[in-house]
Amino acid sequence: MIEEMRSFNELVLEAESQGITLSELTLCIQADTLKTTRRELLGKMRKNLITMRQSAENGKKETHSASGLSGGQAALLERHSAGLLGEVAHLAAVYALAVAEHNACMGRIVAAPTAGSCGILPGVLLALGELRGLSDDSLVMGLFNAAAVGMVIAQNASLSGASGGCAAECGSAGAMAASAAVELMGGTPEMCAQACALELKAIMGLVCDPIAGLVEVPCVKRNATGAVLALTAAEMALAGIKSAVCADEVIGALKSVGCMMHESLRETSLGGIAATKTAREIAAKLKEKENFENEKI
Amino acid sequence: MNVFDIIGPTMIGPSSSHTAGASRAGLVARRLLGEEPVWARVVLYGSFALTYAGHGVDRAIIGGLLGFELDDVRIRDSFRFACKAGLDFTIEISEEDMGHPNTACICLRGKKGGSVSIVVRSVGGGVVNVVEIDGGEVLFSAEYDTTVIFNNDRPGTVARISAVFAAHEINIAFMRVFRKYEGKEAIMVIETDQQAGEDVVSELRASENILKVITIPPFRV
């Protein structure tokens, strides 16, 4: 039995030699390391799925964040009859936006892997659940598959925007969602690895540049595009398309790109979108409002 | 690391470092106080000071002080709940560089007259590190059963304390000793795999050169 979930390749080989899915393998490894039962792990993960669903539903209501920068977009996208996206991608984007908006409004969410990227995985899984008739049991296994991907990335690169830019947050969330989607659609563990590699290559180098340091712009909408990107990567992998570079090496590149990334592009709000004229004006207005409210107190 | 570090925690948004970490900082302070707080002074530094309004850092810390868990929706209205609970608090913003972007200083007084003061850092993913307690340098995350012991820096103290844990079959996972000056006051932080119960704590308190013992439960089971 593998003890450390550090290499994607090792996980794929182990799962394929045992003839089981990545999620099943993850469940076995974790039950062993955490000295607990499958039942307990499944129950705990199911609670996360339920919270994700609640945050998606709550996020569709048209509430707004304290700054006024977020809210109402998921409702707008849901009402819009999509002429470009297929139904799964459309719904995934709606849910991803909803969860991310709910997060911005101080709602209850499940970090997956982070709060800033919390919409992508539920977006993809909940849409597949509804439109492809997958049971909650299957979706819970999807979360274990995704968690395995997140663990490999966390141990070889990073999941934090401050060290790896947005590619570390939304990129990892997308890789997790892509891999889970492949498994849920009947793909092999090898295809999961391919989906992960394809998604991470697409988002490599994405900077973390939140306006006024808030997890709102551009974070919330990147969750929607991230969900669709994850589905694209998963679809390619399911079609048998292979990444020329394997997932483990792509994750290595993710780490080195994160290290090379200038500090102004890693959650400091000094570069990228945060440094635009409009962004600086928004930040100044928010500061003014805050000072005014402090004076009132 | 496990699957629930990746899919989780369940928390109130928008930021694991600024919101979940901040509420955990408040919770740790409350647990270290060991009673209902009636007065609090919170100072925010670095990115906490710059973005507290948008991330709800202030509301999250006060929520933690009231005992609200990371996923408690009452965090949003924690100021109102503080009023109800009789917690008098102030929140200040400082420009001082504390060496880490997400740092807070929390000073508390309790109903029974106890007090504690900590400097705490939110290090990401909702995890915090306490780096100072009552003016003394320390380092712990409160992810284990944690016992903080203030003692006189004398030979044999560490051995006597660890013997108490051994006698109660409590396994020490991590143990760190901090002091400013030789022979003066020292602080010991002991993280264990089992809980140090009342019997252990009173035995520790009774032993030579021990000034104060605080024990808090872990955040993760």
Side-chain angles (χ1 to χ4, degrees), chain A:
Chain A
M1 174 74 82
I2 302 177
E3 281 179 8
E4 287 195 50
M5 303 180 54
R6 281 185 168 273
S7 148
F8 215 132
N9 189 42
E10 251 178 56
L11 290 175
V12 168
L13 289 176
E14 181 72 23
E16 298 203 327
S17 79
Q18 289 190 38
I20 56 175
T21 57
L22 270 184
S23 59
E24 185 59 42
L25 178 66
T26 307
L27 192 53
C28 292
I29 296 174
Q30 287 286 282
D32 192 53
T33 9
L34 298 174
K35 296 183 184 69
T36 179
T37 59
R38 287 170 57 94
R39 201 188 147 90
E40 193 162 322
L41 290 174
L42 286 167
K44 206 170 164 191
M45 197 58 98
R46 181 177 290 266
K47 278 192 190 153
N48 284 336
L49 178 68
I50 291 167
T51 307
M52 285 174 169
R53 187 172 283 135
Q54 283 166 346
S55 45
E57 284 310 316
N58 289 329
K60 282 197 286 184
K61 295 172 195 156
E62 296 181 56
T63 47
H64 284 82
S65 63
S67 69
L69 292 174
S70 322
Q73 312 299 300
L76 202 60
L77 189 62
E78 191 186 32
R79 281 200 299 272
H80 166 72
S81 75
L84 299 171
L85 294 179
E87 54 171 5
V88 172
H90 179 229
L91 191 58
V94 169
Y95 283 148
L97 264 185
V99 174
E101 286 187 320
H102 195 51
N103 179 57
C105 298
M106 289 191 84
R108 183 195 278 135
I109 55 96
V110 180
T114 62
S117 61
C118 69
I120 295 174
L121 183 60
V124 167
L125 291 190
L126 294 172
L128 284 177
E130 264 182 60
L131 298 169
R132 293 294 175 263
L134 301 175
S135 66
D136 277 7
D137 286 346
S138 307
L139 298 183
V140 167
M141 291 309 279
L143 290 175
F144 277 98
N145 176 302
V149 177
M151 284 170 80
V152 173
I153 298 174
Q155 292 177 86
N156 293 286
S158 166
L159 299 176
S160 123
S163 49
C166 191
E169 297 208 20
C170 285
S172 300
M176 289 157 60
S179 171
V182 165
E183 184 180 304
L184 289 172
M185 295 305 287
T188 63
E190 166 61 19
M191 287 174 175
C192 292
Q194 296 298 340
C196 168
L198 291 166
E199 192 275 349
L200 286 176
K201 287 196 306 188
I203 211 166
M204 185 75 56
L206 188 66
V207 302
C208 177
D209 47 359
I211 294 184
L214 303 176
V215 193
E216 301 200 48
V217 185
C219 325
V220 169
K221 293 177 194 113
R222 274 185 191 160
N223 275 267
T225 48
V228 178
L229 176 65
L231 287 168
T232 312
E235 196 82 272
M236 284 198 281
L238 285 163
I241 294 176
K242 286 191 162 67
S243 166
V245 179
C246 74
D248 286 320
E249 283 190 58
V250 172
I251 292 168
L254 184 73
K255 177 171 173 90
S256 63
V257 169
C259 292
M260 284 180 231
M261 207 179 269
H262 192 263
E263 203 190 344
S264 63
L265 303 171
R266 286 187 277 120
E267 216 181 309
T268 51
S269 298
L270 297 170
I273 296 301
T276 58
K277 180 170 164 281
T278 306
R280 280 182 280 134
E281 282 166 9
I282 293 173
K285 262 187 210 146
L286 288 173
K287 198 79 220 163
E288 218 170 90
K289 191 176 143 206
E290 195 178 290
N291 290 340
F292 176 69
E293 276 166 14
N294 282 349
E295 269 167 35
K296 274 198 303 192
I297 300 166

Side-chain angles (χ1 to χ4, degrees), chain B residues 76-106:
Chain B
R76 277 183 288 210
D77 301 313
S78 66
F79 290 177
R80 197 165 52 80
F81 285 102
C83 236
K84 256 196 201 161
L87 170 63
D88 177 23
F89 67 90
T90 57
I91 292 173
E92 294 160 38
I93 303 301
S94 170
E95 283 177 12
E96 194 184 333
D97 181 4
M98 296 290 275
H100 186 278
N102 301 328
T103 304
C105 171
I106 305 174

